[in-house]
Amino acid sequence: MIERIELTKRFDKIDPLSIKNYLDFGGYEVFKKALKMKQEDILNEIALSRITGRGGAGFPVSIKMKSFAKESGFKYVVCNADEGEPGNFKDRYLMEKDPHQIIEGILISAFSTGASKCFIYIRGEYAKAIGIMKNAIKQAYKTNHLGMNILGSNFSFEIEIRRGAGAYVCGEEFALIESIEGKPGRTRVKPPFPTQVGVFDKPTLINNVETFCNLPFILRIGGTEYSKIGNEYASGTKLISLTGNVKNKGLYEVPYGRTIREVIEVLGGGVNDNKKISMVQLGGACGAIIPESLLDMDIDNEKFNIFDSKMGAGAIIVMDESFDMFDIILKNMEFFQHETCGKCMPCREGHIQVLNLIKKFVRYSANEKDYLSLESLAQVIHETALCGLGQTSMTSIISTMKFFKEDYQQRIKESLFKEEYYG
Amino acid sequence: MVNLRINNIDITVKDNMTILEAARQHNINIPTLCHYPDLHINSDCRICVVEIEGYKGLKTSCSTPVSEGMNISTNTPKILNARKTITELILSNHDATCTSCVRNMRCELQELAKNLGIDINRFENVLVKKEIDNHNPALIRNANRCIKCGRCIDVCKEVQGMHVLEIIGRGHEMEIAPAFGKYLSDESCTFCGQCANVCPVGAIIEKDNTNTVWEKLYDPNYHVMVQVAPAVRVSIGEEIGLKTGLISNGKLVSAIKRLGFNNVYDTDFTADLTIMEEGTELINRIKTGGVLPLMTSCCPGWINLAEQEYPEILPHISSCKSPQQMFGTLAKTYFAEKENIDPKDIYVVSIMPCTAKKYEATRKELRIDNENPDVDIVLTTRELGKMFRQMGIDFDKIDEVEFDDPFGISTGAAVLFGATGGVTEAALRTVYEILNNKPLEDLEFKSVRGMQGIKEASVKLGDLEVRVAVSHSLANARVLIEDVIAGTSPYAFIEIMACPGGCIGGGGQPYGTTNDVRLKRIASIYEVDGNMVYRKSHDNPSIKKLYKDYLIEPNSTKAHHLLHTKYSMRSGKA
Amino acid sequence: MILQKILESYPVSEDYLLEILIDVDKQKENHFISEEEITIISNHLGIKESHVCSVVSFYTLLSTTPRGKYIIQICKDVPCYLNDDFNVLKTVENELNIKVNDTTRNQKFTLEFTACIGCCDEAPAMRINDSTYTNLTREKVIKIINDYKEGKYD
Ligand SMILES: Cc1cc2nc3c(=O)[nH]c(=O)nc-3n(C[C@H](O)[C@H](O)[C@H](O)COP(=O)(O)O)c2cc1C
Ligand code: SF4
Ligand code: SF4
């Protein structure tokens, strides 16, 4: 079996607007169990599970939680539901189809770390998800799964929703925090890190929607058992947003360690119209573009590091041979040029120049010098940008320069030809 | 203490230092662009990147704290390439017409490009030209030169508490501008010019009035008089490349004369006069139970703030015109009568450390007979430096000359006006002796000196123990103002200066006015005071003569008519 | 009126600024935030207008110029592009006779681009106000636009 259905098991089986449905399905049972556990024990289970963050950076969850648990005073948890990376839609499904699972995960993380309030930051475009989450929170308050002395315990906790308003960069931790505070989403200088000084200058634990959803699952089967799912580099299941030129686009839950090819061919049913795959972009617009020959790679974070990029949030965008690589890169760059917050200079001033250079390739008017400028500029933006946006936006260029270098050379030759014959 | 290695040099520094601080302390220079000593670390320009062994990518030295055993390189080919590339990028969205920019050869971006050896720009210029805001008498904002370093926003918001400038827009389209992208004059800008002082490039500059002055100097129809503010004598040296805090009195006068001014006078004279008028006003208010605390009125930046945001505070503000305006008034009345010149033919130029003074000089309330402005034109210290350079004046090779009479004799008290706390100290020296009828033993009120944001002192005046307070920078001023409005202010007298450090830190002062520089200028101010023959305003013989011959006595009807003014509530529109 | 109601629905705290702005933009028929509204909001929250302006101008869902009653947003990112074999944008442009970023003369429609709206599994997709329309075909787009034109959703 390629799939292992855990986080998505209630999808379409329960009414997302009904907390009763969720409860009938065993919902909040794990949280009740957690309420009786010692906080360290919960954190230890999570450590045993080896779970890593599902929002993109793949940071070990327990390290962040443990350092956050050590902070004192009023503390916030933030659920990152900004999901703006093109090609990703898993968090939307999680919110629209099983909202209480997220709340249960948030409750477990808050209880085990001593946090008092949570902001769920949902991108403004997700109107339906916002409605469903608001309804779920209301029900949770009504049934005392939120509020004062939850289910008769000493634990009190609040959740509030904040909406985004069209800014991809607000998925970045500090930009998110600024946005929750009602400000423009421009990141802050690190250190200090959010776990020390976050929302309203209080310690703040930020995790992705899917990461929270894994917590009830971990406590249900135990950290050790959970860690057996997956491979040596990554444990658990991953929601994969499969899109592009495949027959069966959609959301799939797959244990770590399966290959990309399996996902595309078995779950996705291969490419439309019997065309060939020419490229696959992993993670989203900030991910690497790899050739068909590399598809046998496992789905996990560690191995993806060789491309200087991570698994990302789990998008797989499949492109068939009818698409021009430079058009795709151009689209990626237009996206980042639109989304750069403008705070730091290489990212603000760099993308427009990258765009100019890529356009030359698209229009068959590039030369060797343009290639060198592009190569150097992409590297500088990647290495000097202040936040993850600028640090990762060049991945499609850097990876194609590695795997599709001939295509660049070919385009330069064709440009020369075009110029000579057509002027 | 932390041990680390930079460029193969082992160093030991204090904990919590940044790499940049550690490097500079050991004379290892790392270039920067957006960094400014007294402001936030924004880490926006990414020029100061370094490589740290074991770390991915490049790290900004301004924001990365040192840690034990770090091995840092500050100048590898990779770093140099990154710095050059970023500089090219900045220049590709910049109106780099350097030779026709006020900042030519004094620009931090140009300096960086020069030091990095930028010889080509691989990138297309993508600048979209924007309208230049020159709709006010003090400042010009040229977005085409702005590199969005954010320094101006930081001073405006954090230091001045004004929040006039903000980042408007996102990404490549973003601009540093007032609300709605409007003009400075449409918003509650005080024209303090702190933004112009910290701007690394020519994006916010003072309105240049040097051409007008040259024309007037060569126009035979005008008798052109000039006054020099106290703070200018301790900063002009820096402007022409000499030592920070250098005291130049005689040479300054001599150089100004060489520009063609008939007579060179000292604003210190009217500073003494201000003390006589304001001191008397204070004594009267104390004696008659008038509105207290009395707040000083010499700083036009603060007056702008009060009129725009705190109408309730206006009755507290001394009715005295500022020393600059008193000078203008006397020039066009007392002096005109004495010398038998038609006041319309007198042209009064001020050399001020301040951009708000440019605005003050245009105020309708500050005109003789409601039409002839007290002061015709204001030049900043920087513009004076420009005129010196235009004329090729070499400070080293000129003689020392005294200020001219009748507005040339002044006291140590007057020169204190240049530093924060100075007006208070000068006022106390006079008010004390008048009210207590005995000489003051220790002239120096040390507790109101220095760079602390809010300072206090208390003095025995007659039977009363009177408390006074001093603030500099408008964010600090707000603290005192709000107490006064709330009725909880314990003070009888409050001095407010808009600029950090007082006028020596004014918006029109030489570039690079950091707090370290401010301290040096302040020290020089006190040195000048210490060396004066007269150190109390009421001892100034010329002032005594002025009252005897013309004004009768402080706060006389005539003095009131000429030397006092009114304030009124204004919306943001200047 | 609308503004006052919105202001009353939140605590007077500056962190609600973005929430307030989103509501104003959404609830007004012409989906924009005027200078007067910015002034009122800044006075209400005790913050500077410049700060409100910087927030409004940062977020692409907010506008400072009037827009149509229905805002049509077309995704221009890769997953939609890969599945867009008939050109959604052109189709809508033709139906409404306007270009992207324009508003129809009757103030009913504004056409905009949007970044990915997370409907890539049903690409190509577009958004009209808060509703999403997916698995678009030329016929489907034309029908949707016509339904709106005819006032089916008014
Ligand atoms: C530009 C940018 C956008 C991001 N967008 C998201 C997002 O939409 N959702 C998300 O969970 N994480 C996003 N991240 C990653 C977050 O910064 C952060 O790493 C994550 O929320 C941490 O949660 P996790 O450890 O559970 O993955 C983004 C990062 C960057 C740099
Ligand atoms: S990398 Fe880009 S998005 Fe991130 S802070 Fe810099 S300009 Fe903003
Ligand atoms: S105006 Fe000057 S100080 Fe302000 S952001 Fe632009 S370059 Fe920096």
Side-chain angles (χ1 to χ4, degrees), chain A residues 169 172 185-188 336 339-349 351 381 384-391 393, chain B residues 44 46 171:
Chain A
V169 71
E172 194 275 339
R186 292 197 183 82
T187 195
R188 296 180 191 162
F336 290 117
E339 297 299 335
T340 164
C341 82
K343 180 170 165 60
C344 73
M345 301 195 189
C347 179
R348 180 182 72 232
E349 306 298 344
H351 281 107
I381 297 173
T384 62
L386 175 57
C387 87
L389 188 147
Q391 288 161 7
S393 64
Chain B
D44 287 348
R46 322 300 290 167

mmCIF file of all heavy atoms in Angstrom, chain A residues 169 172 185-188 336 339-349 351 381 384-391 393, chain B residues 44 46 171, ligand 2:
data_model
loop_
_atom_site.group_PDB
_atom_site.id
_atom_site.type_symbol
_atom_site.label_atom_id
_atom_site.label_comp_id
_atom_site.label_asym_id
_atom_site.label_seq_id
_atom_site.Cartn_x
_atom_site.Cartn_y
_atom_site.Cartn_z
ATOM 1 N N VAL A 169 4.194 36.020 1.835
ATOM 2 C CA VAL A 169 5.312 36.089 2.775
ATOM 3 C C VAL A 169 4.838 35.947 4.223
ATOM 4 O O VAL A 169 5.606 35.609 5.111
ATOM 5 C CB VAL A 169 6.115 37.397 2.569
ATOM 6 C CG1 VAL A 169 5.317 38.595 3.059
ATOM 7 C CG2 VAL A 169 7.470 37.327 3.240
ATOM 8 N N GLU A 172 5.873 33.142 6.480
ATOM 9 C CA GLU A 172 7.169 33.149 7.166
ATOM 10 C C GLU A 172 6.934 33.546 8.613
ATOM 11 O O GLU A 172 6.130 34.427 8.909
ATOM 12 C CB GLU A 172 8.103 34.138 6.459
ATOM 13 C CG GLU A 172 9.550 34.011 6.824
ATOM 14 C CD GLU A 172 9.946 34.772 8.083
ATOM 15 O OE1 GLU A 172 9.219 35.719 8.468
ATOM 16 O OE2 GLU A 172 10.966 34.439 8.698
ATOM 17 N N GLY A 185 3.276 42.488 6.777
ATOM 18 C CA GLY A 185 4.014 41.254 7.043
ATOM 19 C C GLY A 185 5.458 41.330 6.595
ATOM 20 O O GLY A 185 5.847 40.691 5.628
ATOM 21 N N ARG A 186 6.226 42.112 7.299
ATOM 22 C CA ARG A 186 7.671 42.150 7.015
ATOM 23 C C ARG A 186 8.398 41.517 8.189
ATOM 24 O O ARG A 186 8.153 41.868 9.338
ATOM 25 C CB ARG A 186 8.168 43.577 6.808
ATOM 26 C CG ARG A 186 7.632 44.194 5.555
ATOM 27 C CD ARG A 186 8.405 45.414 5.110
ATOM 28 N NE ARG A 186 7.752 45.963 3.944
ATOM 29 C CZ ARG A 186 6.692 46.760 3.996
ATOM 30 N NH1 ARG A 186 6.208 47.140 5.156
ATOM 31 N NH2 ARG A 186 6.122 47.186 2.895
ATOM 32 N N THR A 187 9.297 40.619 7.873
ATOM 33 C CA THR A 187 9.930 39.811 8.898
ATOM 34 C C THR A 187 10.777 40.648 9.863
ATOM 35 O O THR A 187 11.013 41.828 9.625
ATOM 36 C CB THR A 187 10.790 38.722 8.222
ATOM 37 O OG1 THR A 187 11.115 37.741 9.179
ATOM 38 C CG2 THR A 187 12.063 39.313 7.636
ATOM 39 N N ARG A 188 11.181 40.028 10.949
ATOM 40 C CA ARG A 188 12.065 40.693 11.897
ATOM 41 C C ARG A 188 13.455 40.071 11.806
ATOM 42 O O ARG A 188 13.611 38.983 11.268
ATOM 43 C CB ARG A 188 11.566 40.499 13.328
ATOM 44 C CG ARG A 188 10.222 41.130 13.597
ATOM 45 C CD ARG A 188 9.817 40.880 15.060
ATOM 46 N NE ARG A 188 8.423 41.252 15.275
ATOM 47 C CZ ARG A 188 7.704 40.840 16.310
ATOM 48 N NH1 ARG A 188 8.237 40.038 17.224
ATOM 49 N NH2 ARG A 188 6.446 41.217 16.440
ATOM 50 N N PHE A 336 7.263 35.406 -7.193
ATOM 51 C CA PHE A 336 8.106 35.963 -6.116
ATOM 52 C C PHE A 336 8.286 37.468 -6.265
ATOM 53 O O PHE A 336 8.337 38.188 -5.264
ATOM 54 C CB PHE A 336 9.460 35.249 -6.084
ATOM 55 C CG PHE A 336 9.352 33.836 -5.594
ATOM 56 C CD1 PHE A 336 9.673 32.771 -6.410
ATOM 57 C CD2 PHE A 336 8.898 33.579 -4.306
ATOM 58 C CE1 PHE A 336 9.551 31.465 -5.957
ATOM 59 C CE2 PHE A 336 8.771 32.281 -3.839
ATOM 60 C CZ PHE A 336 9.099 31.214 -4.668
ATOM 61 N N GLU A 339 5.449 38.817 -4.655
ATOM 62 C CA GLU A 339 5.286 38.532 -3.231
ATOM 63 C C GLU A 339 6.422 39.036 -2.340
ATOM 64 O O GLU A 339 6.289 39.029 -1.119
ATOM 65 C CB GLU A 339 5.095 37.023 -3.014
ATOM 66 C CG GLU A 339 3.833 36.448 -3.670
ATOM 67 C CD GLU A 339 2.548 37.072 -3.125
ATOM 68 O OE1 GLU A 339 2.542 37.571 -1.989
ATOM 69 O OE2 GLU A 339 1.536 37.053 -3.862
ATOM 70 N N THR A 340 7.538 39.433 -2.906
ATOM 71 C CA THR A 340 8.626 39.921 -2.053
ATOM 72 C C THR A 340 8.118 41.087 -1.199
ATOM 73 O O THR A 340 7.402 41.951 -1.686
ATOM 74 C CB THR A 340 9.875 40.352 -2.859
ATOM 75 O OG1 THR A 340 10.710 41.155 -2.016
ATOM 76 C CG2 THR A 340 9.511 41.140 -4.087
ATOM 77 N N CYS A 341 8.472 41.042 0.070
ATOM 78 C CA CYS A 341 7.933 42.074 0.958
ATOM 79 C C CYS A 341 8.657 43.395 0.770
ATOM 80 O O CYS A 341 8.151 44.442 1.112
ATOM 81 C CB CYS A 341 8.023 41.620 2.414
ATOM 82 S SG CYS A 341 9.623 41.878 3.187
ATOM 83 N N GLY A 342 9.875 43.330 0.244
ATOM 84 C CA GLY A 342 10.613 44.559 -0.027
ATOM 85 C C GLY A 342 11.521 45.003 1.096
ATOM 86 O O GLY A 342 12.187 46.017 0.990
ATOM 87 N N LYS A 343 11.544 44.241 2.172
ATOM 88 C CA LYS A 343 12.352 44.690 3.307
ATOM 89 C C LYS A 343 13.845 44.654 2.990
ATOM 90 O O LYS A 343 14.548 45.627 3.224
ATOM 91 C CB LYS A 343 12.041 43.840 4.540
ATOM 92 C CG LYS A 343 12.848 44.247 5.769
ATOM 93 C CD LYS A 343 12.333 43.537 7.015
ATOM 94 C CE LYS A 343 13.306 43.632 8.169
ATOM 95 N NZ LYS A 343 13.615 44.986 8.607
ATOM 96 N N CYS A 344 14.315 43.533 2.505
ATOM 97 C CA CYS A 344 15.772 43.477 2.295
ATOM 98 C C CYS A 344 16.124 43.678 0.830
ATOM 99 O O CYS A 344 15.372 43.337 -0.068
ATOM 100 C CB CYS A 344 16.357 42.198 2.873
ATOM 101 S SG CYS A 344 16.007 40.717 1.955
ATOM 102 N N MET A 345 17.290 44.264 0.611
ATOM 103 C CA MET A 345 17.601 44.780 -0.715
ATOM 104 C C MET A 345 17.833 43.722 -1.794
ATOM 105 O O MET A 345 17.338 43.876 -2.899
ATOM 106 C CB MET A 345 18.762 45.767 -0.622
ATOM 107 C CG MET A 345 18.412 46.924 0.308
ATOM 108 S SD MET A 345 19.498 48.316 0.180
ATOM 109 C CE MET A 345 18.930 49.307 1.584
ATOM 110 N N PRO A 346 18.570 42.624 -1.506
ATOM 111 C CA PRO A 346 18.766 41.663 -2.583
ATOM 112 C C PRO A 346 17.456 41.075 -3.097
ATOM 113 O O PRO A 346 17.294 40.886 -4.307
ATOM 114 C CB PRO A 346 19.646 40.574 -1.956
ATOM 115 C CG PRO A 346 19.767 40.878 -0.524
ATOM 116 C CD PRO A 346 19.309 42.274 -0.295
ATOM 117 N N CYS A 347 16.532 40.811 -2.203
ATOM 118 C CA CYS A 347 15.260 40.219 -2.620
ATOM 119 C C CYS A 347 14.402 41.258 -3.321
ATOM 120 O O CYS A 347 13.833 41.005 -4.380
ATOM 121 C CB CYS A 347 14.551 39.631 -1.399
ATOM 122 S SG CYS A 347 12.948 38.872 -1.712
ATOM 123 N N ARG A 348 14.334 42.458 -2.762
ATOM 124 C CA ARG A 348 13.490 43.505 -3.354
ATOM 125 C C ARG A 348 13.983 43.906 -4.736
ATOM 126 O O ARG A 348 13.212 43.977 -5.676
ATOM 127 C CB ARG A 348 13.471 44.737 -2.444
ATOM 128 C CG ARG A 348 12.616 45.862 -2.997
ATOM 129 C CD ARG A 348 12.641 47.093 -2.112
ATOM 130 N NE ARG A 348 13.905 47.786 -2.171
ATOM 131 C CZ ARG A 348 14.626 48.127 -1.097
ATOM 132 N NH1 ARG A 348 14.209 47.827 0.111
ATOM 133 N NH2 ARG A 348 15.766 48.758 -1.237
ATOM 134 N N GLU A 349 15.275 44.166 -4.853
ATOM 135 C CA GLU A 349 15.806 44.654 -6.125
ATOM 136 C C GLU A 349 16.232 43.506 -7.039
ATOM 137 O O GLU A 349 16.408 43.699 -8.233
ATOM 138 C CB GLU A 349 17.003 45.582 -5.891
ATOM 139 C CG GLU A 349 16.756 46.746 -4.932
ATOM 140 C CD GLU A 349 15.695 47.711 -5.411
ATOM 141 O OE1 GLU A 349 15.340 47.667 -6.615
ATOM 142 O OE2 GLU A 349 15.193 48.502 -4.593
ATOM 143 N N HIS A 351 14.676 40.364 -7.616
ATOM 144 C CA HIS A 351 13.698 39.608 -8.400
ATOM 145 C C HIS A 351 13.359 40.270 -9.722
ATOM 146 O O HIS A 351 13.166 39.607 -10.726
ATOM 147 C CB HIS A 351 12.433 39.369 -7.569
ATOM 148 C CG HIS A 351 12.592 38.245 -6.604
ATOM 149 N ND1 HIS A 351 12.725 38.433 -5.254
ATOM 150 C CD2 HIS A 351 12.691 36.908 -6.804
ATOM 151 C CE1 HIS A 351 12.883 37.258 -4.666
ATOM 152 N NE2 HIS A 351 12.879 36.324 -5.571
ATOM 153 N N ILE A 381 21.114 36.202 -4.179
ATOM 154 C CA ILE A 381 19.818 36.351 -3.516
ATOM 155 C C ILE A 381 19.620 35.197 -2.525
ATOM 156 O O ILE A 381 19.255 35.390 -1.370
ATOM 157 C CB ILE A 381 18.653 36.391 -4.528
ATOM 158 C CG1 ILE A 381 18.783 37.604 -5.442
ATOM 159 C CG2 ILE A 381 17.301 36.419 -3.811
ATOM 160 C CD1 ILE A 381 17.778 37.637 -6.574
ATOM 161 N N THR A 384 22.007 35.697 0.565
ATOM 162 C CA THR A 384 22.024 36.903 1.393
ATOM 163 C C THR A 384 20.641 37.372 1.858
ATOM 164 O O THR A 384 20.566 38.235 2.717
ATOM 165 C CB THR A 384 22.693 38.091 0.658
ATOM 166 O OG1 THR A 384 21.936 38.394 -0.503
ATOM 167 C CG2 THR A 384 24.116 37.781 0.291
ATOM 168 N N ALA A 385 19.565 36.831 1.285
ATOM 169 C CA ALA A 385 18.244 37.346 1.641
ATOM 170 C C ALA A 385 17.967 37.140 3.126
ATOM 171 O O ALA A 385 18.487 36.228 3.756
ATOM 172 C CB ALA A 385 17.167 36.677 0.799
ATOM 173 N N LEU A 386 17.139 38.038 3.653
ATOM 174 C CA LEU A 386 16.868 38.030 5.090
ATOM 175 C C LEU A 386 15.974 36.882 5.514
ATOM 176 O O LEU A 386 16.182 36.264 6.541
ATOM 177 C CB LEU A 386 16.219 39.384 5.462
ATOM 178 C CG LEU A 386 15.720 39.596 6.875
ATOM 179 C CD1 LEU A 386 16.835 39.382 7.889
ATOM 180 C CD2 LEU A 386 15.168 41.004 7.013
ATOM 181 N N CYS A 387 14.937 36.594 4.727
ATOM 182 C CA CYS A 387 14.016 35.554 5.194
ATOM 183 C C CYS A 387 13.930 34.416 4.195
ATOM 184 O O CYS A 387 14.507 34.464 3.111
ATOM 185 C CB CYS A 387 12.631 36.134 5.481
ATOM 186 S SG CYS A 387 11.546 36.208 4.053
ATOM 187 N N GLY A 388 13.191 33.411 4.557
ATOM 188 C CA GLY A 388 13.074 32.216 3.743
ATOM 189 C C GLY A 388 12.553 32.468 2.345
ATOM 190 O O GLY A 388 12.840 31.691 1.435
ATOM 191 N N LEU A 389 11.800 33.534 2.141
ATOM 192 C CA LEU A 389 11.285 33.774 0.797
ATOM 193 C C LEU A 389 12.433 33.973 -0.178
ATOM 194 O O LEU A 389 12.575 33.258 -1.158
ATOM 195 C CB LEU A 389 10.340 34.979 0.781
ATOM 196 C CG LEU A 389 9.601 35.196 -0.550
ATOM 197 C CD1 LEU A 389 8.219 35.770 -0.342
ATOM 198 C CD2 LEU A 389 10.377 36.076 -1.507
ATOM 199 N N GLY A 390 13.257 34.952 0.118
ATOM 200 C CA GLY A 390 14.378 35.226 -0.776
ATOM 201 C C GLY A 390 15.412 34.110 -0.778
ATOM 202 O O GLY A 390 16.082 33.854 -1.779
ATOM 203 N N GLN A 391 15.526 33.433 0.348
ATOM 204 C CA GLN A 391 16.518 32.355 0.423
ATOM 205 C C GLN A 391 16.126 31.159 -0.437
ATOM 206 O O GLN A 391 16.976 30.377 -0.843
ATOM 207 C CB GLN A 391 16.696 31.902 1.879
ATOM 208 C CG GLN A 391 17.441 32.923 2.722
ATOM 209 C CD GLN A 391 17.220 32.705 4.216
ATOM 210 O OE1 GLN A 391 16.622 31.717 4.626
ATOM 211 N NE2 GLN A 391 17.706 33.630 5.016
ATOM 212 N N SER A 393 13.560 31.401 -3.095
ATOM 213 C CA SER A 393 12.866 31.721 -4.344
ATOM 214 C C SER A 393 13.683 31.353 -5.579
ATOM 215 O O SER A 393 13.132 31.177 -6.654
ATOM 216 C CB SER A 393 12.531 33.210 -4.377
ATOM 217 O OG SER A 393 13.724 33.965 -4.379
ATOM 218 N N ASP B 44 18.722 45.317 6.582
ATOM 219 C CA ASP B 44 18.022 45.298 5.301
ATOM 220 C C ASP B 44 18.941 45.273 4.091
ATOM 221 O O ASP B 44 18.585 44.731 3.060
ATOM 222 C CB ASP B 44 17.120 46.534 5.175
ATOM 223 C CG ASP B 44 15.897 46.426 6.057
ATOM 224 O OD1 ASP B 44 15.638 45.324 6.572
ATOM 225 O OD2 ASP B 44 15.198 47.435 6.229
ATOM 226 N N ARG B 46 22.053 44.031 3.682
ATOM 227 C CA ARG B 46 22.788 42.766 3.545
ATOM 228 C C ARG B 46 24.214 42.981 3.035
ATOM 229 O O ARG B 46 24.835 42.041 2.542
ATOM 230 C CB ARG B 46 22.043 41.770 2.620
ATOM 231 C CG ARG B 46 20.533 41.756 2.744
ATOM 232 C CD ARG B 46 20.012 41.411 4.094
ATOM 233 N NE ARG B 46 20.185 40.036 4.502
ATOM 234 C CZ ARG B 46 20.016 39.610 5.749
ATOM 235 N NH1 ARG B 46 19.639 40.458 6.685
ATOM 236 N NH2 ARG B 46 20.207 38.358 6.064
ATOM 237 N N GLY B 171 7.158 45.305 -1.773
ATOM 238 C CA GLY B 171 8.088 44.787 -2.758
ATOM 239 C C GLY B 171 8.751 45.875 -3.569
ATOM 240 O O GLY B 171 9.107 46.927 -3.049
HETATM 241 S S1 SF4 D 2 13.935 37.881 1.628
HETATM 242 FE FE1 SF4 D 2 12.352 39.005 0.474
HETATM 243 S S2 SF4 D 2 10.493 38.570 1.523
HETATM 244 FE FE2 SF4 D 2 12.167 38.050 2.943
HETATM 245 S S3 SF4 D 2 12.607 39.926 4.100
HETATM 246 FE FE3 SF4 D 2 13.868 40.034 2.311
HETATM 247 S S4 SF4 D 2 12.595 41.222 0.856
HETATM 248 FE FE4 SF4 D 2 11.242 40.473 2.409
#
